Amino acid sequence: MATFALIHGGGGSAWEWHLVAEELRGRGHQVVAVDLPIDDESAGLWDYADAVVDAVGERQDLVVVAHSWGGFVGPLVCDRLAADLLVLVTAMIPVPGEPPSDWWGNTGFGHKDISDPIGLFLHDVPRELAEEAVRREREHVGMAYGEPWPLEAWPDVPTRFLLCRDDRFFTPEFMRGVVRDRLGITPDEIDGGHAPMLARPKALADYLTGRS
C-alpha cells in the first residue's frame, strides 16, 4: 500500500482533500495532508515543503500529489524525500529560479475575474460543499510568492499531470501547452473543474490508485 502526501493549493487547506483521503484510506492506503503555512508572512517555499516532509516522517512508498499552487511545493518535497511518483493535479509547473508571482506572466496566463470563486473554481462541486470551501479559504501571504523557485532542475522522479477538461481557471487549452513546454509530457485528462478532489473524489482516487 502507498502513502499519499496530498498538497493543497493557494488559499486552501488540508480539508479540501478530506473526501479523497477517505477514499484512499478505504482502499488501505496511508494519507498525509497538512495545512501549508500560507498565512505566515515569514514562510518561504522550503518551509511549505518542510511542513509536508515532517508530516510524512518515515512512511514509505510515497506518492506526492500537488494541486494548483501546490505545484510549486510538490517537487520540493520530492527533492527531500524518496518518492515513487509525483502527480500534479491541474497544477502550476515552475521552472528553476521562477518566483510564483512571475509564473502568470511567464506562461501567458492572462487575467481572470475571480470575484465569483464558486463559478470559477467550484462550479461542479455540490453547492453546500462549495460554500463550505469558500468559508474555509485562508489568506495567502508572505515571502513565498516572490521567492525564486529553489531547485536547479526538476527532481528525478516519475511525474504525471492530470488536466481537468472543464476547468474554467486553468483551461485545458492553456494547460496542455504549459505541460508540453515545461514537462515535455502529455497530460492525463478527466472531466470536471478546478477542484476534482471535492467534485469527483472517487474518480480522482481511482486515478491516483491506477484504476483509471
Side-chain angles (χ1 to χ4, degrees):
M1 294 294 109
T3 296
F4 288 89
L6 307 177
I7 302 172
H8 66 77
S13 67
W15 172 86
E16 296 175 358
W17 288 105
H18 72 284
L19 298 176
V20 174
E22 182 180 357
E23 287 281 345
L24 293 173
R25 290 189 180 108
R27 303 174 193 197
H29 300 287
Q30 296 189 68
V31 177
V32 174
V34 299
D35 291 342
L36 301 178
I38 62 173
D39 48 4
D40 180 352
E41 294 186 356
S42 67
L45 290 168
W46 279 121
D47 296 310
Y48 288 24
D50 286 345
V52 181
V53 170
D54 291 345
V56 171
E58 300 299 320
R59 296 176 178 88
Q60 302 295 312
D61 303 315
L62 181 64
V63 177
V64 177
V65 184
H67 175 243
S68 197
W69 202 95
F72 276 90
V73 182
L76 302 184
V77 174
C78 293
D79 187 68
R80 290 276 175 90
L81 297 174
D84 295 331
L85 179 67
L86 170 61
V87 181
L88 301 171
V89 179
T90 189
M92 298 166 77
I93 305 168
V95 296
E98 180 179 61
S101 58
D102 289 353
W103 187 90
W104 314 95
N106 290 346
T107 58
F109 176 75
H111 173 75
K112 290 284 178 69
D113 181 359
I114 61 173
S115 59
D116 177 13
I118 290 181
L120 184 60
F121 300 106
L122 305 164
H123 59 90
D124 60 337
V125 176
R127 186 71 187 193
E128 185 175 345
L129 194 60
E131 291 173 350
E132 178 69 11
V134 171
R135 284 194 295 270
R136 287 176 174 267
E137 283 183 0
R138 297 186 295 153
E139 187 177 6
H140 197 164
V141 299
M143 61 180 287
Y145 260 115
E147 180 184 12
W149 196 62
L151 295 187
E152 295 182 358
W154 198 260
D156 184 18
V157 59
T159 301
R160 297 174 67 180
F161 192 100
L162 183 63
L163 180 151
C164 296
R165 298 188 190 98
D166 306 304
D167 195 335
R168 297 176 180 176
F169 186 59
F170 290 156
T171 61
E173 295 81 6
F174 169 74
M175 287 310 300
R176 288 186 189 109
V178 173
V179 175
R180 179 190 64 242
D181 295 343
R182 296 200 164 202
L183 290 178
I185 64 175
T186 299
D188 300 318
E189 302 190 11
I190 61 171
D191 292 334
H194 191 68
M197 68 286 298
L198 294 174
R200 291 169 172 79
K202 183 179 183 300
L204 182 52
D206 285 345
Y207 172 80
L208 294 175
T209 55
R211 295 174 58 187
S212 63

